Amino acid sequence: MSQTQTRNETARRARSGRLALDHLDALESEAVHIIREVVAEFERPVLLFSGGKDSVLMLHLAAKAFWPSPVPFPVLHVDTGHNFPEVLEYRDRTVERLGVRLEVARVQDYIDDGRLAERTDGTRNPLQTQPLLDAIADHRFDAVFGGGRRDEEKARAKERVFSLRDEFGAWDPRNQRPELWNLYNGRHRPGEHVRVFPLSNWTELDVWRYIAREAIELPPLYYAHEREVFHRDGMWLAVGPYSLPREHEAVVTKQVRYRTVGDMSCTGAVESDATHVGDVVVEVAASRLTERGATRADDRISEAAMEDRKKEGYF
């Protein structure tokens, strides 16, 4: 259904006295309420924006929450230096279109001056934590919007919508506040901040159905295309400057798409014929694996890989 058809249907139901929110309306309403609540409660919020579908959805909701005024906070990207070029192009074009200020914290800067060292496995996602925490401290951000969802994996499932981080940016999953109905507690001491997850109750399928309903543009990586890939640890990794096959790993050309678009060296593609958003909705509806379980090597390091990183201050 197009946006115009959706609006007409909502108006028709309102006129008939039978206005009722459908599932996506309810999720949108909850997220918009949370975003507005943060702007009302906090002094210096920021939205983490990587160009991935969840952060794209977050920025779309933020724009809706304050329309016709501009989004009243900047966005922050922690750039690993190993990003897909299509995603960086999309990131820059989107913030320019919306007139949003973009802050970038670069992992490469930390490697160049010795504050961080390259990992032996060549991946950089785990190196994002220190640049993230430094950017939060330098800009004195007190609320940090993230696109994490509880259905992605078990550490994210433990997160509150308002998730308190201590003065070191660390998360203690055993010391979080209760959240009853739509009441959120944003109190924090100087130096602490709050991570905010308005998409907590969304699933991957909800995200794609909403993207289809709102006709939201995404980086082209999310749709099936031909690409040179090689197989490693149950995933198809792209051949690129930051992701090269080992001697025994054969390079083949396949039609693939990405379910997440993180660091190129640890993000896998899936074989797919889904060239349109409607095809992706059908594909995701039939999947029994979340996108992180299917396509992220960094989450497979251990059973507690994500929780360990989040305790140190990761997203």
Side-chain angles (χ1 to χ4, degrees):
M1 184 179 290
S2 69
Q3 284 181 273
T4 302
Q5 289 172 317
T6 300
R7 283 195 295 270
N8 290 342
E9 174 60 16
T10 301
R12 187 188 65 77
R13 283 187 286 171
R15 286 194 300 272
S16 68
R18 294 186 294 106
L19 183 60
L21 297 180
D22 69 12
H23 181 60
L24 292 182
D25 290 334
L27 290 172
E28 178 193 70
S29 177
E30 178 187 59
V32 166
H33 165 71
I34 293 165
I35 293 169
R36 289 173 175 164
E37 187 75 8
V38 167
V39 170
E41 283 193 42
F42 293 83
E43 295 181 357
R44 300 176 71 86
V46 67
L47 189 152
L48 297 174
F49 184 68
S50 65
K53 66 182 186 309
D54 298 306
S55 65
V56 170
L57 179 54
M58 284 288 305
L59 190 53
H60 177 85
L61 289 165
K64 259 194 156 181
F66 301 103
W67 184 264
S69 297
V71 176
F73 42 76
V75 299
L76 169 66
H77 182 208
V78 182
D79 184 348
T80 67
H82 287 178
N83 298 100
F84 291 92
E86 300 97 321
V87 177
L88 295 181
E89 186 278 330
Y90 174 89
R91 178 200 70 181
D92 293 343
R93 184 161 47 82
T94 300
V95 297
E96 182 177 353
R97 175 175 58 83
L98 293 175
V100 180
R101 190 177 94 236
L102 169 67
E103 301 287 349
V104 181
R106 294 181 173 81
V107 170
Q108 187 64 53
D109 291 344
Y110 284 69
I111 293 173
D112 290 345
D113 64 18
R115 284 176 288 174
L116 289 173
E118 290 276 17
R119 292 166 52 89
T120 55
D121 61 7
T123 64
R124 287 188 172 182
N125 265 2
L127 301 182
Q128 294 178 93
T129 300
Q130 194 57 53
L132 169 65
L133 295 178
D134 287 350
I136 292 171
D138 291 346
H139 291 281
R140 294 184 290 113
F141 294 132
D142 53 2
V144 182
F145 289 109
R149 310 185 321 264
R150 289 178 176 136
D151 79 318
E152 291 183 77
E153 53 80 44
K154 56 189 177 184
R156 283 179 162 84
K158 295 181 181 179
E159 288 275 20
R160 299 286 195 269
V161 174
F162 276 30
S163 182
L164 184 66
R165 298 298 198 263
D166 68 16
E167 65 271 32
F168 304 106
W171 175 57
D172 181 355
R174 297 167 300 179
N175 183 28
Q176 294 294 314
R177 299 149 170 173
E179 291 181 335
L180 304 176
W181 304 288
N182 60 352
L183 301 177
Y184 305 108
N185 185 345
R187 286 184 296 178
H188 60 285
R189 291 187 288 263
E192 296 177 339
H193 69 274
V194 174
R195 304 283 174 91
V196 185
F197 301 105
L199 305 184
S200 288
N201 294 324
W202 296 56
T203 66
E204 184 185 11
L205 182 58
D206 293 329
V207 168
W208 276 105
R209 289 181 59 222
Y210 189 78
I211 286 168
R213 188 182 88 169
E214 301 283 303
I216 299 172
E217 181 194 358
L218 291 179
L221 291 173
Y222 279 111
Y223 302 105
H225 58 285
E226 284 200 345
R227 182 174 286 262
E228 285 193 331
V229 294
F230 57 95
H231 203 244
R232 180 182 296 168
D233 299 330
M235 295 189 304
W236 291 107
L237 297 178
V239 176
Y242 317 115
S243 176
L244 293 172
R246 295 165 184 155
E247 191 172 336
H248 63 281
E249 293 171 333
V251 174
V252 295
T253 300
K254 285 191 170 289
Q255 179 150 300
V256 298
R257 73 173 194 89
Y258 285 83
R259 292 176 68 178
T260 65
V261 293
D263 187 279
M264 182 185 289
S265 55
C266 66
T267 304
V270 295
E271 293 184 68
S272 174
D273 297 321
T275 57
H276 183 269
V277 63
D279 304 329
V280 176
V281 169
V282 173
E283 187 179 278
V284 171
S287 175
R288 292 296 175 265
L289 272 179
T290 72
E291 68 264 51
R292 295 202 70 91
T295 64
R296 297 298 287 264
D298 52 331
D299 288 353
R300 300 180 178 186
I301 295 172
S302 73
E303 279 291 309
M306 177 56 76
E307 182 162 332
D308 290 343
R309 277 186 285 162
K310 287 176 78 70
K311 286 177 179 176
E312 295 170 357
Y314 191 73
F315 305 107

